[in-house]
Amino acid sequence: METPDRARIWYREVTPRQWKAMAGAWIGYLLDGFDFVLITLVLTEIAEDFRLSTATAASLISGAFITRWLGGAVLGALGDRHGRRTAMIASILLYSLGTFACGFAWGYTSLFVARLVIGLGMAGEYSASVTYVLESWPTRWRNRASGFLISGYAGGTVLAAELYKWVVPHWGWRWMFWIGVLPVLVALWVRRSLPEAGDWKRDVGAPTGRPEQERPNPFRPLFTGRIRSWANAALAAGASVALFCVFTPLGAGAAPWLAGVAALCLLAFAAQLGGRRGWLLYVSLMATVFCAFLYSWPIQALLPTYLKTGLGYSPAQVTDVMFYAGFGTMAGCWLAGFVGDRFGTRRAYAGTLLASLAFVFPVFAVHDSLPALGVLLFVLLALSQGISGILPKYLAGHFPTARRAASLGFVYNVGALGGAVAPVLGAHLAEGMPLGQALAVLTFGLTLVVILLVGGNVPQRLGRLVDRQAPDDHLVPETGEAKAVASGGPAGSAAGEASTDSA
């Protein structure tokens, strides 16, 4: 446990280069959040222009999730082999150009395809930025680093909401997407000025003297022979086609079967990437993230629609509420980092989610008071969405440096398919009950599931059934230094300084 005195001086252990690394990654993640939530803000305008039902329009949100599993794995592998910074730049370019293309969409299909490109880039941005920051900051402040980084996404939602109020009423929804090309400038700045992540540079990169051909190749297990290579190419195609059909009208009437095909393909990849000793950990982490998206994304994706159609709010009022929501999530991310460093990642995650349950139904019981709704949303999202600020730390700790980005990118973005299911499921539930009630039921029920999975350390316990030697946390070295870190002793400072030097 850290003493109050130590808590006041923690920021002195973070060097200017590490703050610069955080700033560069945070800005990229802010623009990532900005680009991704645009679709939720203008969903009703798009549905009106293209004459789409609520469920069909909601599938546009899902489109970006369909390619996330592939983007997370491929760009994560790029980060493991060539550096976190390179992967960040590629990711920013992808989602920026995908967002720009959305502004030129002439119908549902073209807009859906552009959303697929955004999904590729967003997946890579998550794995690259997370591993970059976590591996750059001092070991004992990595929950804090995780929370600060993820707060950028919430900042992007606030920025998007503010622009929505000014841009859409005057110039229409397409201009919101054209503004999304701005992150390309950030990508150029990132390449020019940021240092490489400390842990990757020490363990994998050039300072080790390791030749390029000996660097990690997380996909090597997938291509160990001609038959396996062709089989995995078929699995990738099968998963992509099945997911595309599930979330578009093409799969009408066969969605359960297609979802089963996609799940089997992705489980086959998890078994190969995880190997004999890691496959069960991969699968259980995928399930945990899936449930986390199912509880969080009904509100994230359909809150603007609920405000406009359920409560009859104007664009200006929607912006006001989204400000409460965005700043609540941002404040929650900051809080999560401090709580996680003090009480431990799992304990902080489960405890904060448990507290959030008290606010789920009251949020959707408020109808006539915008300030009351805003305050309740602020608290709910600070506790339930904000705690996702330390989800990267929770996931990344399960994997070693050499394959961290690819592994984290794969399990997180496969699990993120819960975010594709959530808005569609919420929209379908709303056909039999009010939209607000549907969102409350989904959020409350799935939050309970995540509390049990994380609080009970279920993924780690299952993983140890097949790998008893797995460390508790790969981000905290199992040395005397690490033990001192946990107790707040003098060696803890040495550990923080060592991490600082490595960056």
Side-chain angles (χ1 to χ4, degrees), residues 10-11 14 18-19 21-23 25-26 29 126 129-153 330 333-341 345 386 388-394 475 499:
W10 67 269
Y11 54 85
V14 184
Q18 291 169 335
W19 280 116
M22 171 64 74
W26 188 87
Y29 208 60
Y126 186 93
S129 295
V130 161
T131 51
Y132 177 73
V133 169
L134 290 177
E135 293 173 2
S136 296
W137 268 46
T139 302
R140 64 174 163 194
W141 306 129
R142 287 180 170 176
N143 276 300
R144 223 156 285 195
S146 180
F148 289 158
L149 173 64
I150 301 304
S151 72
Y153 184 92
M330 185 181 292
C333 288
W334 297 335
L335 175 65
F338 285 87
V339 174
D341 280 335
T345 307
S388 66
I390 59 174
L391 179 60
K393 167 62 171 59
Y394 171 73
L475 285 169
S499 180

Side-chain angles (χ1 to χ4, degrees), residues 26-84:
W26 188 87
I27 291 171
Y29 208 60
L30 176 142
L31 294 171
D32 183 8
F34 174 87
D35 282 4
F36 196 77
V37 302
L38 291 183
I39 193 72
T40 70
L41 290 168
V42 298
L43 196 61
T44 53
E45 287 85 358
I46 290 172
E48 182 178 353
D49 269 11
F50 295 159
R51 299 180 182 178
L52 306 176
S53 68
T54 300
T56 302
S59 71
L60 290 170
I61 301 172
S62 305
F65 288 90
I66 293 173
T67 51
R68 284 184 63 151
W69 71 273
L70 183 60
V74 172
L75 291 169
L78 177 70
D80 285 336
R81 188 170 181 83
H82 298 289
R84 313 310 192 197

Side-chain angles (χ1 to χ4, degrees), residues 13-267:
E13 298 180 22
V14 184
T15 69
R17 291 185 72 191
Q18 291 169 335
W19 280 116
K20 184 178 182 180
M22 171 64 74
W26 188 87
I27 291 171
Y29 208 60
L30 176 142
L31 294 171
D32 183 8
F34 174 87
D35 282 4
F36 196 77
V37 302
L38 291 183
I39 193 72
T40 70
L41 290 168
V42 298
L43 196 61
T44 53
E45 287 85 358
I46 290 172
E48 182 178 353
D49 269 11
F50 295 159
R51 299 180 182 178
L52 306 176
S53 68
T54 300
T56 302
S59 71
L60 290 170
I61 301 172
S62 305
F65 288 90
I66 293 173
T67 51
R68 284 184 63 151
W69 71 273
L70 183 60
V74 172
L75 291 169
L78 177 70
D80 285 336
R81 188 170 181 83
H82 298 289
R84 313 310 192 197
R85 186 177 58 180
T86 301
M88 274 203 301
I89 295 164
S91 302
I92 291 171
L93 290 171
L94 269 175
Y95 73 67
S96 298
L97 296 176
T99 300
F100 190 60
C102 286
F104 294 98
W106 58 87
Y108 172 83
T109 302
S110 58
L111 185 55
F112 196 94
V113 171
R115 295 286 297 166
L116 297 178
V117 177
I118 292 174
L120 288 170
M122 186 181 186
E125 170 67 12
Y126 186 93
S127 60
S129 295
V130 161
T131 51
Y132 177 73
V133 169
L134 290 177
E135 293 173 2
S136 296
W137 268 46
T139 302
R140 64 174 163 194
W141 306 129
R142 287 180 170 176
N143 276 300
R144 223 156 285 195
S146 180
F148 289 158
L149 173 64
I150 301 304
S151 72
Y153 184 92
T157 67
V158 172
L159 180 61
E162 178 65 20
L163 283 174
Y164 170 78
K165 178 173 66 175
W166 295 103
V167 171
V168 173
H170 295 92
W171 298 307
W173 60 267
R174 293 180 186 274
W175 273 98
M176 289 291 289
F177 291 106
W178 290 333
I179 292 171
V181 78
L182 293 176
V184 172
L185 302 177
V186 178
L188 297 176
W189 177 76
V190 166
R191 178 167 189 146
R192 184 171 180 268
S193 62
L194 290 187
E196 185 53 83
D199 286 8
W200 184 90
K201 188 175 178 181
R202 183 186 62 243
D203 296 345
V204 180
T208 65
R210 180 177 299 183
E212 180 76 13
Q213 63 269 24
E214 294 182 10
R215 289 189 182 181
N217 182 4
F219 286 166
R220 185 174 289 117
L222 304 181
F223 301 101
T224 54
R226 181 175 297 181
I227 294 178
R228 174 170 283 192
S229 298
W230 280 105
N232 282 318
L235 285 175
S240 300
V241 171
L243 289 171
F244 184 83
C245 292
V246 165
F247 296 110
T248 64
L250 292 176
W257 295 100
L258 291 167
V261 170
L264 290 174
C265 293
L266 295 173
L267 287 173

Side-chain angles (χ1 to χ4, degrees), residues 286-362:
M286 284 157 49
T288 301
V289 176
F290 186 87
C291 292
F293 270 82
L294 276 182
Y295 91 71
S296 64
W297 263 89
I299 291 180
Q300 288 194 55
L302 294 177
L303 179 60
T305 298
Y306 167 69
L307 295 174
K308 287 184 278 188
T309 63
L311 300 184
Y313 280 10
S314 67
Q317 290 174 312
V318 171
T319 296
D320 291 340
V321 175
M322 293 300 289
F323 259 78
Y324 284 109
F327 280 116
T329 302
M330 185 181 292
C333 288
W334 297 335
L335 175 65
F338 285 87
V339 174
D341 280 335
R342 182 168 181 82
F343 297 105
T345 307
R346 287 192 302 104
R347 190 177 298 174
Y349 207 115
T352 306
L353 282 183
L354 187 63
S356 76
L357 293 177
F359 297 91
V360 174
F361 286 100

